[in-house]
Amino acid sequence: MDLESLYQDIILDHYKHPRGKGLLDRPMGSAFHVNPTCGDEITVQVNQDPQGGLIIGYDGQGCSISQASASVLVELIHGETIEKSEEIRKAFLEMMHAQGAGDPNEDILGDAIAFAGVAKFPARVKCALLSWMALQDAEIQAGLLTTGEGA
Amino acid sequence: MDLESLYQDIILDHYKHPRGKGLLDRPMGSAFHVNPTCGDEITVQVNQDPQGGLIIGYDGQGCSISQASASVLVELIHGETIEKSEEIRKAFLEMMHAQGAGDPNEDILGDAIAFAGVAKFPARVKCALLSWMALQDAEIQAGLLTTGEGA
Amino acid sequence: MSTLDVTAIKADFPILSTTVRGGHRLVYLDSGATSQKPTVVLDAERNYYEQHNAAVHRGAHALAELATEDFEAARVTIAGFVGARAKDLVFTKNATESLNLVSYAFSNATALNNRGAGLIDPRFVLNPGDSIVITEMEHHANLIPWQEVCRKTGATLRWIPLTDEGRLDLTHLEDLIDHTTKVVSVVHQSNILGTINPVKMLMDRAHAVGAIGIIDGCQSVPHMPVDVHHLGADLVAWSGHKMLGPTGIGCLWGTEEILEAMPPFITGGSMIQMVEMEKSTFAPPPQKFEAGTPVVAQAVALAAGARYLEKIGMSAVADHEFELAEYTVDALNALVGVRIIGPANAHERGSAVSFVVDGLHPHDVGQVLDSRGVAVRVGHHCAWPTCRRFAVPSTTRISPYIYNDTSDIDEAIDGIVAAQEFFGVK
Amino acid sequence: MSTLDVTAIKADFPILSTTVRGGHRLVYLDSGATSQKPTVVLDAERNYYEQHNAAVHRGAHALAELATEDFEAARVTIAGFVGARAKDLVFTKNATESLNLVSYAFSNATALNNRGAGLIDPRFVLNPGDSIVITEMEHHANLIPWQEVCRKTGATLRWIPLTDEGRLDLTHLEDLIDHTTKVVSVVHQSNILGTINPVKMLMDRAHAVGAIGIIDGCQSVPHMPVDVHHLGADLVAWSGHKMLGPTGIGCLWGTEEILEAMPPFITGGSMIQMVEMEKSTFAPPPQKFEAGTPVVAQAVALAAGARYLEKIGMSAVADHEFELAEYTVDALNALVGVRIIGPANAHERGSAVSFVVDGLHPHDVGQVLDSRGVAVRVGHHCAWPTCRRFAVPSTTRISPYIYNDTSDIDEAIDGIVAAQEFFGVK
Ligand SMILES: Cc1ncc(COP(=O)(O)O)c(C=O)c1O
Ligand SMILES: Cc1ncc(COP(=O)(O)O)c(C=O)c1O
């Protein structure tokens, strides 16, 4: 097995140098998710600026994949509209469920495209998705999204 | 398979012409047993005459083996002392658990020796033992036997 | 004419070419109790152990991934077999556990509610005055759990009585299933009488009074096309070993909504979300109901059994069984001194046919058949109250499956006549 | 020097000669989760289906007799493996069910008692003020069932805390297990820490205060000689799949007296004495606890596994594991940046060894090992509170068995170093 296809340099870089880690002061929405099989934890929070741009905060502990994924999430979603955020989130989910097949859109996914290799490791897909699931819940809690939308 | 080795003539005869069937007026001990897999039922009752001889009554419904066995039981136990009754009961149990091997004592078992063939059919052993188990319980209830003795 | 190639099917079941009782060809007519297993099922189980065996849902290594994939793929297949989604299918060890899982939802919810322990769905809380409705033809597995729930909660058990021909007597249905009713749990196809019940109507009636509707599909899922969505039930239970699968696996299908609402039954590892010494939270269904190491190899093997049945086609299976039912019923009706317990015609009935022989005890009938290599079941078939209803201590039951043809039924019929002759009741 | 011929043993396990992740020899070090199966076990299961399969305890035909004999002979073998009598051994689907069977004895007895439903043994009735004592190193299977019992009855859950080296802190034992205590349920050998607990002393303390003593033997029965009578417990639970057996079978041993006294758990067919629509009475143990079609083929296969282990000899197995434990602990202690969670020496511990690597998450350690063909478990090992106690989110665990030797441990150690290098934490 090719460890490098899983642990792309971008992932290791985000893992070692997480972007935008930290919680918000008074979040509109906040969601805490755990991976019940390994105990990894993540809290994702959202606010919205007056122009409709999302403000994302997060904190957590876990493996390289889950932490790097959260860092990439902030980089991609921070400042975007809720519509754009949904577009990115759905593209990420689709990529992670494609088991390594599919044709992820680099324009939308940016650095997140590095996670395409993770999709080949079913046990790690959950790690990569942890923060994205929490994001959705935080957005629902903030009233920016209605339940069940997309998923 | 040899049906005749199971259904000895003696057994069929007892089945068709049960000896001493009927319940006692005021039994000292009475036990009702069922075979939970097929619903066969038997009630065995005991009294003791002034000389210490056992008086047995019974009623029941079930297959040829269980009913013939009860009839043989009455024939063997009726009028015997409790000690003799125990000797016979234990010899019968031993024969039924010998799976067709062993060397049953015809002097003690009389007609009951015909059940030696039944011991080769595990599913029918329970049928043959039904009344004998009830006998033991009835004797315990009558105070003629203490719990756990023998079994 | 049956569309099934029974000779070819028989060849797929190694045990059916064995002999018993000193050289007699095995004529297996006890599939209502448990079915035999085709080679593909045995191979699937063995291959799993020899190639992929590992703990599922837990490991991150290669084998654990393969084992998890096998297990969840099996869930998709078995759910698909009854028209369901994988996430609505719970694996248990047998149908009995499936039904207990449901009955315990009620006793657990009631106990928790009585102690004020959290938010409990009121549909599962039972009080004295509430009623649970079953039928007089239930297998013990769909009777005793409800008796126990009643003992623990004070609810009352009611049952739909039977007509003399072995069908549900629906005369007083509106009084039996009324506003006090919180559970209606009925067998789809009786394992002792063979009767096929109008379950959709009963489930609709259950829902009309706000009760939860449960179906025991043990004898229907293996024998006819079943789409859980057409049954109208909230929950359907059945067993793997009666549909070509191994022992040790049962199924419970439920609507997403009901499975979410039900409290867990067996608790422990793999069914949790978060655990502290003081308290835990639970995973969503189906995991919530699958505590501990699940029945992985059994699921993989059962999926192979489901695929085998699908290849034959469940409509073809049902047609075949209808023919066998008709043939058996006609043959038994033609015998002097033999009485069918249950519908004496093939209308709305399965191929399991119970009967009694005048002057002969079922054990003795079964013994004579057995001496000829014919395996049938004798006893109360875990439906003792049904026997009582028909005033018989027990019955003899012929229950064929896809690997039986009319020649097997003939063997049984010949055996019955032989028994009558042997015991001199003819 | 190990007395086990590991090369010969390996050859009996087909899966151990497969390769994973593109040609790597499989180094299976996840036996704490589930063991692999030798050919004799797979053969036993298959032969059962191909030659004897039928419903047990129910039929009167030839196959039913053979199947029943197989099943009950398996019970004798498996009971004998732990020095017990067959009649005191109950088959379940896994250890989790075994432990739930016990915990439900308490919640069921309490519910029945609260409704005045019959004569209930007061030892099983729990009230607010009563306590249940476990340890801080329990598997979720011996934690959550008791949490649930407490939620349903108002009893209080207490636990024996741990020392920093991963042993029970018995300082306040007399206060923890006191006159309020009705249950003491402890793990014999921890699946996460490897610690072997002084269970006899704990059971004696339980009995001194009149509590019922229960042992989770999941990680001891497969790994050392266990005679249930020497443990001093009332009940011992374990799983088949961790001792060479198939998935889908668990065991519960109990003293005759306790099994008689406990109310049933799962109810239905085959566990009854007499059934009417209104009420039922139950069979004596073990049948009372085995409702429905039992795990027949699984019992037959597990018996073959037990015989395989007996042939090796459980003392030899324990010696072998002690050596592997010592070797593993020493090797891990010698690594820079690696910390063992649990006893860091081989005294009173099993061969399952958990550890964390500074700067590396267990998932990532496991992934690197996996890429080299080494299968270990990462996560909280269903003992989440134990992880919390040691302030780690999860651990990596090496857990060998009879088919592993020191060369397998070496592969794991090399993999850990490789992981440190890959992630640049060394
Ligand atoms: C100590 C311990 N207890 C209980 C269990 C639960 O066993 P099972 O999953 O077979 O029910 C396990 C294994 O997972 C264990 O290691
Ligand atoms: C109608 C019916 N319900 C329930 C059961 C119980 O199934 P199991 O024994 O597999 O739990 C059976 C079979 O025995 C059955 O025929």
Side-chain angles (χ1 to χ4, degrees):
Chain A
M1 190 193 73
D2 177 15
L3 274 185
E4 281 75 16
S5 80
L6 171 63
Y7 295 115
Q8 304 266 335
D9 286 343
I10 298 179
I11 294 181
L12 291 183
D13 185 55
H14 273 275
Y15 174 47
K16 288 176 189 163
H17 312 287
R19 327 289 203 259
K21 194 164 177 173
L23 295 178
L24 304 182
D25 242 6
R26 258 180 278 158
M28 292 164 62
S30 178
F32 171 70
H33 274 219
V34 294
N35 181 339
T37 48
C38 63
D40 285 2
E41 304 178 346
I42 203 105
T43 302
V44 173
Q45 304 182 321
V46 267
N47 267 334
Q48 206 171 22
D49 66 31
Q51 285 72 44
L54 297 175
I55 301 164
I56 308 288
Y58 86 99
D59 197 14
Q61 59 166 2
C63 67
S64 58
I65 304 293
S66 73
Q67 300 307 301
S69 178
S71 168
V72 167
L73 180 154
V74 176
E75 199 171 71
L76 283 175
I77 304 293
H78 201 80
E80 298 292 348
T81 61
I82 182 73
E83 292 75 23
K84 181 76 188 176
S85 155
E86 274 298 271
E87 190 187 350
I88 298 169
R89 197 178 61 79
K90 282 175 186 166
F92 189 77
L93 253 69
E94 198 179 303
M95 177 176 74
M96 294 315 297
H97 287 139
Q99 306 195 309
D103 184 19
N105 186 332
E106 185 152 8
D107 289 347
I108 295 177
L109 288 169
D111 273 8
I113 201 130
F115 286 83
V118 177
K120 275 179 265 167
F121 298 85
R124 304 309 291 272
V125 167
K126 273 190 219 162
C127 309
L129 288 181
L130 194 63
S131 52
W132 298 82
M133 294 300 194
L135 171 69
Q136 185 187 20
D137 274 2
E139 288 174 341
I140 289 170
Q141 210 194 75
L144 300 169
L145 217 59
T146 46
T147 328
E149 217 176 308
Chain B
M1 190 193 71
D2 177 15
L3 272 187
E4 281 74 18
S5 80
L6 171 64
Y7 295 115
Q8 305 266 335
D9 285 342
I10 299 179
I11 295 181
L12 292 182
D13 184 54
H14 274 275
Y15 175 46
K16 287 176 191 163
H17 312 287
R19 326 286 203 259
K21 192 165 179 173
L23 294 177
L24 304 181
D25 242 8
R26 259 181 278 159
M28 291 164 63
S30 178
F32 171 69
H33 274 217
V34 294
N35 181 339
T37 47
C38 64
D40 284 4
E41 304 177 346
I42 205 104
T43 301
V44 174
Q45 304 182 321
V46 268
N47 266 335
Q48 206 171 23
D49 64 32
Q51 284 71 43
L54 297 174
I55 302 164
I56 308 289
Y58 86 98
D59 197 14
Q61 57 164 5
C63 68
S64 57
I65 304 293
S66 72
Q67 299 308 300
S69 177
S71 167
V72 166
L73 180 155
V74 176
E75 200 170 70
L76 284 174
I77 304 294
H78 201 82
E80 298 293 349
T81 62
I82 181 73
E83 292 75 24
K84 182 77 189 175
S85 155
E86 274 297 270
E87 191 188 348
I88 298 170
R89 197 178 60 81
K90 282 174 186 167
F92 189 78
L93 252 70
E94 198 180 301
M95 176 177 73
M96 294 316 296
H97 287 140
Q99 307 195 308
D103 184 21
N105 186 333
E106 185 152 7
D107 289 345
I108 295 176
L109 288 169
D111 273 10
I113 202 129
F115 287 84
V118 177
K120 276 180 264 167
F121 298 85
R124 304 308 291 274
V125 168
K126 274 191 220 163
C127 308
L129 289 180
L130 194 63
S131 52
W132 296 82
M133 295 299 196
L135 171 69
Q136 186 187 20
D137 275 3
E139 289 174 340
I140 290 170
Q141 213 195 73
L144 300 170
L145 218 60
T146 45
T147 328
E149 217 176 307
Chain C
M1 276 287 295
S2 172
T3 53
L4 260 54
D5 183 350
V6 173
T7 312
I9 291 174
K10 258 187 187 159
D12 292 334
F13 292 75
I15 205 170
L16 296 180
S17 47
T18 61
T19 58
V20 290
R21 297 292 185 216
H24 287 279
R25 165 172 95 84
L26 171 64
V27 177
Y28 188 75
L29 291 170
D30 194 16
S31 296
T34 199
S35 76
Q36 296 302 342
K37 326 297 175 201
T39 302
V40 286
V41 166
L42 306 183
D43 286 348
E45 190 155 358
R46 184 161 195 134
N47 290 343
Y48 168 78
Y49 286 126
E50 292 192 345
Q51 292 164 19
H52 294 173
N53 177 62
V56 298
H57 293 306
R58 293 185 180 182
H61 55 78
L63 286 188
E65 275 179 12
L66 292 168
T68 305
E69 263 171 46
D70 284 359
F71 183 52
E72 291 305 330
R75 197 191 300 274
V76 171
T77 301
I78 298 163
F81 185 75
V82 293
R85 297 180 311 175
K87 62 190 285 202
D88 300 332
L89 180 69
V90 177
F91 288 128
T92 61
K93 71 172 170 180
N94 54 26
T96 303
E97 184 192 336
S98 301
L99 290 163
N100 276 266
L101 191 164
V102 175
S103 71
Y104 269 100
F106 290 87
S107 49
N108 282 337
T110 304
L112 291 170
N113 186 68
N114 290 352
R115 288 209 56 80
L119 222 68
I120 309 298
D121 190 315
R123 288 175 298 173
F124 295 100
V125 177
L126 295 174
N127 287 302
D130 289 338
S131 68
I132 292 170
V133 180
I134 61 171
T135 79
E136 207 177 353
M137 62 168 92
E138 296 309 322
H139 188 280
H140 294 164
N142 196 30
L143 163 59
I144 307 182
W146 301 115
Q147 290 180 339
E148 290 296 294
V149 168
C150 289
R151 289 214 300 149
K152 285 184 271 185
T153 64
T156 303
L157 189 65
R158 296 176 178 172
W159 53 91
I160 304 172
L162 307 184
T163 67
D164 288 343
E165 70 153 352
R167 302 202 183 268
L168 294 179
D169 177 352
L170 300 169
T171 327
H172 302 288
L173 188 66
E174 312 256 307
D175 298 330
L176 279 170
I177 303 178
D178 66 7
H179 64 285
T180 68
T181 307
K182 302 200 89 169
V183 179
V184 176
S185 188
V186 297
V187 66
H188 193 179
Q189 176 168 323
S190 161
N191 69 308
I192 178 166
L193 304 173
T195 319
I196 297 176
N197 289 318
V199 284
K200 176 71 168 68
M201 183 269 277
L202 294 169
M203 294 298 111
D204 288 348
R205 175 67 194 158
H207 290 150
V209 300
I212 289 172
I214 303 147
I215 290 175
D216 173 354
C218 275
Q219 299 289 342
S220 54
V221 172
H223 297 285
M224 57 170 90
V226 168
D227 183 317
V228 287
H229 297 291
H230 296 163
L231 299 180
D234 298 297
L235 296 145
V236 182
W238 72 100
S239 262
H241 67 94
K242 294 182 201 275
M243 54 175 280
L244 312 186
T247 56
I249 183 166
C251 298
L252 178 68
W253 168 86
T255 63
E256 181 171 14
E257 191 272 322
I258 279 287
L259 292 179
E260 295 268 357
M262 273 163 53
F265 171 41
I266 295 181
T267 60
S270 301
M271 54 76 71
I272 56 97
Q273 187 169 50
M274 186 103 172
V275 181
E276 300 174 19
M277 286 309 290
E278 292 81 3
K279 65 170 192 304
S280 306
T281 54
F282 305 129
Q287 272 71 40
K288 180 168 68 170
F289 301 107
E290 293 180 2
T293 302
V295 292
V296 187
Q298 289 73 29
V300 169
L302 178 57
R307 278 194 298 274
Y308 185 91
L309 286 171
E310 273 171 352
K311 226 175 69 194
I312 296 177
M314 286 309 292
S315 300
V317 170
D319 288 349
H320 178 71
E321 302 228 13
F322 180 81
E323 282 164 42
L324 288 179
E326 200 159 42
Y327 190 87
T328 308
V329 164
D330 288 351
L332 289 171
N333 281 335
L335 290 183
V336 176
V338 172
R339 182 163 55 99
I340 290 175
I341 305 293
N345 57 56
H347 175 68
E348 293 289 303
R349 70 129 57 237
S351 63
V353 186
S354 273
F355 59 93
V356 290
V357 182
D358 291 345
L360 279 188
H361 190 277
H363 250 198
D364 295 317
V365 176
Q367 195 80 51
V368 174
L369 291 180
D370 176 45
S371 75
R372 306 161 70 95
V374 181
V376 295
R377 173 108 180 259
V378 297
H380 52 57
H381 314 283
C382 297
W384 204 337
T386 317
C387 287
R388 288 218 178 75
R389 161 63 181 82
F390 290 96
V392 293
S394 56
T395 74
T396 305
R397 181 186 67 184
I398 292 172
S399 59
Y401 202 20
I402 50 171
Y403 35 64
N404 296 114
D405 54 25
T406 54
S407 79
D408 295 334
I409 307 295
D410 290 341
E411 297 272 359
I413 300 294
D414 290 350
I416 297 167
V417 175
Q420 290 176 313
E421 281 161 5
F422 182 82
F423 285 96
V425 296
K426 195 172 180 166
Chain D
M1 276 285 296
S2 172
T3 53
L4 260 55
D5 183 350
V6 174
T7 312
I9 291 174
K10 259 190 185 156
D12 291 334
F13 292 74
I15 204 171
L16 296 180
S17 47
T18 61
T19 59
V20 291
R21 298 292 186 215
H24 287 278
R25 166 173 94 85
L26 171 65
V27 178
Y28 188 75
L29 292 170
D30 194 16
S31 295
T34 199
S35 76
Q36 296 302 342
K37 326 297 174 199
T39 303
V40 286
V41 166
L42 306 183
D43 285 348
E45 189 155 359
R46 186 162 193 133
N47 290 343
Y48 168 78
Y49 285 127
E50 291 192 345
Q51 292 164 19
H52 294 172
N53 176 63
V56 297
H57 293 307
R58 295 184 177 184
H61 55 77
L63 287 187
E65 275 178 12
L66 292 168
T68 305
E69 263 171 47
D70 285 358
F71 182 52
E72 292 305 330
R75 197 191 300 274
V76 172
T77 301
I78 298 163
F81 185 75
V82 292
R85 297 181 310 175
K87 62 188 288 200
D88 300 332
L89 180 70
V90 177
F91 289 129
T92 61
K93 71 173 171 180
N94 54 26
T96 303
E97 185 193 335
S98 301
L99 290 163
N100 275 264
L101 189 164
V102 176
S103 72
Y104 269 100
F106 291 87
S107 50
N108 282 338
T110 304
L112 291 170
N113 187 67
N114 290 351
R115 288 210 56 79
L119 223 67
I120 310 298
D121 189 317
R123 288 174 298 172
F124 295 101
V125 176
L126 296 174
N127 288 302
D130 290 338
S131 67
I132 293 170
V133 180
I134 61 172
T135 80
E136 207 178 354
M137 62 167 90
E138 296 308 321
H139 188 280
H140 294 164
N142 197 29
L143 163 60
I144 308 182
W146 301 115
Q147 290 180 339
E148 290 296 295
V149 167
C150 289
R151 291 213 299 148
K152 284 183 271 185
T153 64
T156 303
L157 189 66
R158 297 176 178 172
W159 51 91
I160 304 172
L162 306 185
T163 67
D164 287 345
E165 69 153 353
R167 301 203 184 267
L168 294 181
D169 178 352
L170 300 169
T171 327
H172 302 288
L173 187 66
E174 311 256 310
D175 298 330
L176 279 169
I177 303 179
D178 66 7
H179 64 283
T180 68
T181 307
K182 302 202 87 168
V183 180
V184 175
S185 189
V186 297
V187 68
H188 193 179
Q189 175 168 326
S190 160
N191 69 308
I192 178 167
L193 303 174
T195 319
I196 296 176
N197 289 317
V199 285
K200 175 72 168 69
M201 182 270 275
L202 294 169
M203 294 298 110
D204 288 348
R205 175 69 193 155
H207 290 151
V209 299
I212 289 172
I214 303 148
I215 291 176
D216 173 354
C218 275
Q219 299 289 343
S220 54
V221 174
H223 296 285
M224 58 170 90
V226 169
D227 183 316
V228 287
H229 297 291
H230 298 164
L231 299 181
D234 298 296
L235 296 145
V236 181
W238 73 98
S239 261
H241 67 95
K242 295 183 202 274
M243 53 175 280
L244 312 186
T247 57
I249 183 164
C251 298
L252 178 69
W253 169 85
T255 62
E256 181 171 15
E257 190 273 321
I258 278 287
L259 292 178
E260 295 268 356
M262 275 164 53
F265 171 43
I266 295 182
T267 60
S270 301
M271 54 77 71
I272 56 98
Q273 185 170 53
M274 185 102 172
V275 181
E276 299 174 19
M277 287 308 290
E278 291 82 2
K279 65 170 192 306
S280 305
T281 53
F282 306 130
Q287 273 69 42
K288 180 168 70 172
F289 301 107
E290 294 181 359
T293 302
V295 291
V296 188
Q298 289 73 31
V300 170
L302 178 57
R307 278 193 300 272
Y308 185 92
L309 287 171
E310 272 170 356
K311 225 175 69 195
I312 297 177
M314 286 309 292
S315 301
V317 170
D319 289 348
H320 177 71
E321 302 228 13
F322 180 81
E323 282 165 40
L324 289 179
E326 201 159 41
Y327 190 88
T328 307
V329 164
D330 288 349
L332 289 172
N333 281 334
L335 289 183
V336 177
V338 171
R339 180 162 56 99
I340 291 176
I341 305 295
N345 57 57
H347 176 69
E348 292 290 301
R349 70 129 57 239
S351 64
V353 185
S354 273
F355 59 92
V356 289
V357 182
D358 290 345
L360 279 188
H361 189 278
H363 250 199
D364 294 318
V365 177
Q367 195 82 52
V368 174
L369 291 181
D370 177 46
S371 75
R372 305 161 71 94
V374 181
V376 296
R377 173 108 181 259
V378 297
H380 51 57
H381 313 282
C382 297
W384 205 337
T386 316
C387 288
R388 287 219 178 76
R389 162 64 182 81
F390 291 96
V392 294
S394 56
T395 74
T396 305
R397 182 186 67 185
I398 292 173
S399 59
Y401 203 19
I402 50 170
Y403 35 65
N404 295 115
D405 54 25
T406 53
S407 78
D408 294 334
I409 308 295
D410 291 340
E411 296 272 357
I413 300 294
D414 291 349
I416 297 168
V417 174
Q420 289 176 314
E421 280 162 4
F422 182 84
F423 285 97
V425 295
K426 189 163 187 175

